[in-house]
Amino acid sequence: MKMTLHRVRLPLKHPFTIARGTLTSQPSLIVELEQDGIRGYGEVTENSFYGHTFSSMTQSLMCISALLNDSAHRSPTERWALLQAVIGNDRFALSAIDIATHDFRGKQLGIPTWQDWGLEWKDVPDSSFTIGIDTIDAMVTKLKEEPGWSIYKIKLGTAHDLEIVSELRRHTSARFRVDANCGWTAEQAISNSSVLAGLGVEFIEQPLPIHASREDKLQVFHRSALPVIADEDCQKEQDVDACHGLYHGVNVKICKCGGLTPALSMLQHARSLGMKTMVGCMVESSIGISGAAQLLPLLDFADLDGAVLLRDEPASGVRLSKGVVHLSKLPGCGSELDRELLPKYLIENGKN
């Protein structure tokens, strides 16, 4: 089995700001597995916050290239354990190769990945559209540029959070969700939750920093007027149990947990605990989004608009129409790389 790594830079429609910083383009690593004319694709974004660079991820993936042939007869779940033993804690690199493995297997079998897992595609949730932090006028403009979505997720963590949501509410009757990206104190979260509930907000995602005390998280869990969903606090499989009793639900990010294999396990475990389930995304191409979308039958909430935020991209797959997810006609995760467009996005020697 041949593995090829494509380093690309994905241009955004608008600068995208959260509490931690601003992006105008997203560097991303696309992993391609090819054998007997079948190609499986996976993707992971470079992320300075979590310490994953092109160099570190490439180094990790080069370590497992020989193992790909030796484990070709194994299921993606069995292979994940073997790859994880070599890659270790580089869950971003592990995620990319795991998505590619599931995509390859589905294409080899001629069935979609969700079906390979024994799931049923029915009553899947719509995705939200994310409005990044900006001036209030600019955030209103972003909302108006994407009309008709049933759900909008609003990035917060500013000195004007309630003013932002109040103004956006004047321009749509859609459901709101807010993501503070660790930007609030316990007191702010509790106080803000009452106002936000009156503005038609459905839940608050990760209001407190990871390092906030257990006492503060318990206080928010019990006193918030809205459900709280863990994001940064739920990065790997053992975090689900740690979040139980502190959060009403978990947002699983494929890149953070190490791929579709652990994400599937985390979501099933969270559901067994009576917690709400969500899958989120980074700003990424249709390759990463198509992988994450295979988990929709297990979700209460979805945030899969990463590719919608791009100006253009070298890939295709699952498509979103005002939040409604339309599956690809291809098996596996359903993604495909456009080889004619790819050179436009490639990063060579740190440039593109």
Side-chain angles (χ1 to χ4, degrees):
M1 179 175 285
K2 178 183 178 183
M3 178 175 66
T4 306
L5 306 181
H6 306 284
R7 298 180 173 187
V8 299
R9 191 178 303 281
L10 304 170
L12 275 67
K13 290 177 183 175
H14 301 287
F16 185 77
T17 301
I18 63 173
R20 292 192 294 267
T22 300
L23 289 174
T24 57
S25 64
Q26 176 63 65
S28 193
L29 180 61
I30 295 171
V31 176
E32 177 184 337
L33 298 179
E34 192 266 329
Q35 186 175 31
D36 300 329
I38 299 173
R39 292 188 172 97
Y41 298 105
E43 178 186 9
V44 70
T45 57
E46 184 178 21
N47 193 297
S48 58
F49 180 76
Y50 291 101
H52 297 282
T53 65
F54 278 140
S55 178
S56 67
M57 293 187 291
T58 299
Q59 185 175 356
S60 294
L61 290 168
M62 288 298 100
C63 290
I64 54 91
S65 57
L67 188 58
L68 292 174
N69 283 326
D70 294 339
S71 62
H73 63 288
R74 298 180 181 272
S75 71
T77 302
E78 293 172 324
R79 179 182 277 187
W80 187 90
L82 295 173
L83 297 177
Q84 195 273 337
V86 176
I87 291 178
N89 290 325
D90 191 344
R91 292 194 296 272
F92 272 53
L94 187 58
S95 173
I97 193 70
D98 186 61
I99 295 170
T101 298
H102 281 281
D103 186 39
F104 183 90
R105 173 181 164 89
K107 287 173 177 172
Q108 193 176 45
L109 296 174
I111 59 174
T113 297
W114 58 265
Q115 186 177 329
D116 187 29
W117 294 337
L119 302 179
E120 294 184 70
W121 195 269
K122 62 179 184 180
D123 302 324
V124 300
D126 288 356
S127 170
S128 55
F129 177 80
T130 304
I131 301 175
I133 295 172
D134 209 321
T135 65
I136 295 178
D137 287 345
M139 292 176 78
V140 170
T141 298
K142 291 175 184 178
L143 184 148
K144 289 182 175 179
E145 286 179 355
E146 291 287 344
W149 290 65
S150 59
I151 314 158
Y152 293 93
K153 185 166 99 166
I154 306 162
K155 292 285 188 177
L156 299 178
T158 76
H160 312 286
D161 286 343
L162 298 181
E163 188 180 349
I164 287 169
V165 180
S166 296
E167 182 59 27
L168 290 173
R169 174 50 71 208
R170 293 181 58 243
H171 300 275
T172 179
S173 59
R175 275 179 288 163
F176 282 167
R177 297 165 181 170
V178 301
D179 183 0
N181 276 117
C182 308
W184 294 344
T185 64
E187 292 75 14
Q188 287 174 320
I190 294 164
S191 175
N192 289 347
S193 71
S194 296
V195 180
L196 294 172
L199 290 169
V201 171
E202 190 174 13
F203 62 74
I204 301 169
E205 189 177 336
Q206 194 68 40
L208 307 187
I210 298 174
H211 57 73
S213 69
R214 178 178 176 83
E215 290 71 21
D216 279 352
K217 292 175 183 177
L218 272 172
Q219 190 178 167
V220 173
F221 177 72
H222 289 297
R223 294 178 57 196
S224 172
L226 291 170
V228 285
I229 306 295
D231 181 358
E232 284 84 355
D233 266 330
C234 190
Q235 298 184 36
K236 51 191 183 296
E237 290 191 68
Q238 52 265 47
D239 291 342
V240 175
D241 281 325
C243 287
H244 186 229
L246 295 178
Y247 291 92
H248 301 91
V250 293
N251 179 12
V252 175
K253 297 277 183 66
I254 312 305
C255 59
K256 294 180 188 178
C257 71
L260 293 174
T261 297
L264 187 65
S265 175
M266 291 171 72
L267 293 167
Q268 289 170 332
H269 184 47
R271 287 164 68 94
S272 75
L273 294 173
M275 302 178 77
K276 295 293 185 181
T277 54
M278 176 178 176
V279 162
C281 66
M282 303 300 194
V283 177
E284 54 195 287
S285 82
S286 293
I287 291 175
I289 297 301
S290 296
Q294 305 306 303
L295 296 161
L296 277 164
L298 290 173
L299 305 185
D300 296 296
F301 314 119
D303 180 32
L304 300 178
D305 65 338
V308 180
L309 301 174
L310 301 176
R311 187 175 71 233
D312 45 65
E313 60 167 316
S316 59
V318 164
R319 182 176 57 85
L320 269 64
S321 175
K322 307 299 183 185
V324 179
V325 177
H326 299 277
L327 290 171
S328 167
K329 294 181 180 178
L330 294 175
C333 297
S335 62
E336 191 167 30
L337 194 59
D338 189 320
R339 297 182 179 279
E340 291 186 6
L341 289 177
L342 181 60
K344 171 184 172 183
Y345 301 88
L346 286 175
I347 300 173
E348 300 292 348
N349 299 321
K351 302 177 181 178
N352 66 335

